[in-house]
Amino acid sequence: DVKVTQSSRYLVKRTGEKVFLECVQDMDHENMFWYRQDPGLGLRLIYFSYDVKMKEKGDIPEGYSVSREKKERFSLILESASTNQTSMYLCASSLLLGQYEQFFGPGTRLTVL
Amino acid sequence: AQKVTQAQTEISVVEKEDVTLDCVYETRDTTYYLFWYKQPPSGELVFLIRRNSFDEQNEISGRYSWNFQKSTSSFNFTITASQVVDSAVYFCALSGPNTGGFKTIFGAGTRLFVKA
């Protein structure tokens, strides 16, 4: 059974903390994605990666960075968490960019106090 | 502009009713892909269907069916004889060369409540 896993389902952090969200996929997919989901806004792409050490900004990259040192792992980093980054974060992977479906992890609900 | 509109924010039906979720898209691409995903209360999005722009055949999978009409730029999703387990948020999505190099654009989602 194909899997995308995320390190935490729920996370509570304080303003100014550095936050790491980890994502691992076991499908040998080239492409991995980080989305943010907010009510009424659907899914918005933060960053994606099409290969190890390669990354591209999505629609809302401000305040975030990413790291992909290994093919199966894609990390999202909040350098200095702020309350407006309280949200649901979804990781996904896919075989071919845009042409095939994405496989999603269970999500991390992050609360920044 | 590349855009996906799901005008229905929430729909509430009683079990066994049929329900259609609307999806209208905008694209200037001739080759593009459309998707539907389901997000149950557990939170994990699950892929339902993919359609490319050259395949306008309607698709049926059990109680689910999809109607793709390029003439109206719509890709609607119908659930026949709805069940409580169909309660979820459903997302329509689009990708193509002009969505930022085949990035996927998601609609805002439609929340479906199916009452017993």
Side-chain angles (χ1 to χ4, degrees):
Chain A
D1 199 16
V2 295
K3 274 286 190 195
V4 177
T5 55
Q6 295 183 228
S7 50
S8 307
R9 287 301 303 268
Y10 300 93
L11 210 51
V12 179
K13 295 291 181 181
R14 297 207 173 273
T15 302
E17 279 192 76
K18 190 168 186 175
V19 181
F20 292 87
L21 302 183
E22 304 284 337
C23 175
V24 177
Q25 52 99 0
D26 66 359
M27 294 164 281
D28 203 33
H29 284 167
E30 304 290 339
N31 305 289
M32 295 187 73
F33 310 84
W34 275 105
Y35 292 94
R36 172 178 171 156
Q37 182 180 8
D38 299 290
L41 297 177
L43 275 69
R44 293 180 293 166
L45 182 65
I46 304 171
Y47 268 98
F48 73 101
S49 169
Y50 52 90
D51 201 350
V52 175
K53 296 194 188 292
M54 306 304 288
K55 61 186 178 186
E56 282 216 16
K57 293 179 181 178
D59 301 316
I60 51 164
E62 297 78 20
Y64 303 95
S65 62
V66 291
S67 171
R68 193 162 179 205
E69 296 296 319
K70 293 186 177 181
K71 190 176 186 180
E72 67 271 18
R73 189 178 298 268
F74 191 35
S75 303
L76 179 69
I77 303 153
L78 286 66
E79 295 290 343
S80 178
S82 64
T83 55
N84 62 14
Q85 292 179 309
T86 291
S87 187
M88 171 71 92
Y89 291 88
L90 296 169
C91 176
S93 72
S94 74
L95 182 59
L96 283 177
L97 192 62
Q99 298 172 54
Y100 286 93
E101 66 270 27
Q102 295 182 23
F103 294 86
F104 283 84
T108 296
R109 185 164 294 282
L110 172 67
T111 301
V112 182
L113 302 175
Chain B
Q2 314 286 95
K3 191 178 174 183
V4 175
T5 302
Q6 294 179 257
Q8 304 147 310
T9 306
E10 288 187 0
I11 301 175
S12 184
V13 299
V14 176
E15 212 171 16
K16 296 184 185 170
E17 280 187 42
D18 299 347
V19 58
T20 295
L21 283 60
D22 298 331
C23 174
V24 173
Y25 62 92
E26 294 175 33
T27 181
R28 59 178 183 271
D29 293 326
T30 52
T31 300
Y32 54 89
Y33 299 85
L34 295 163
F35 305 83
W36 275 96
Y37 290 86
K38 174 182 179 179
Q39 186 180 38
S42 61
E44 188 168 327
L45 269 82
V46 175
F47 164 76
L48 295 177
I49 190 171
R50 174 184 77 125
R51 261 289 174 267
N52 72 54
S53 51
F54 300 108
D55 182 4
E56 279 194 81
Q57 274 196 339
N58 291 331
E59 174 108 2
I60 298 174
S61 176
R63 296 183 297 105
Y64 293 175
S65 63
W66 290 269
N67 182 259
F68 176 28
Q69 291 200 337
K70 286 176 77 170
S71 60
T72 56
S73 296
S74 64
F75 187 40
N76 296 337
F77 172 30
T78 297
I79 302 174
T80 303
S82 60
Q83 298 177 3
V84 172
V85 293
D86 296 326
S87 296
V89 181
Y90 292 87
F91 291 96
C92 181
L94 163 74
S95 72
N98 282 298
T99 59
F102 279 102
K103 287 185 288 189
T104 302
I105 296 174
F106 288 82
T110 297
R111 184 178 295 276
L112 175 65
F113 294 98
V114 181
K115 295 179 284 190

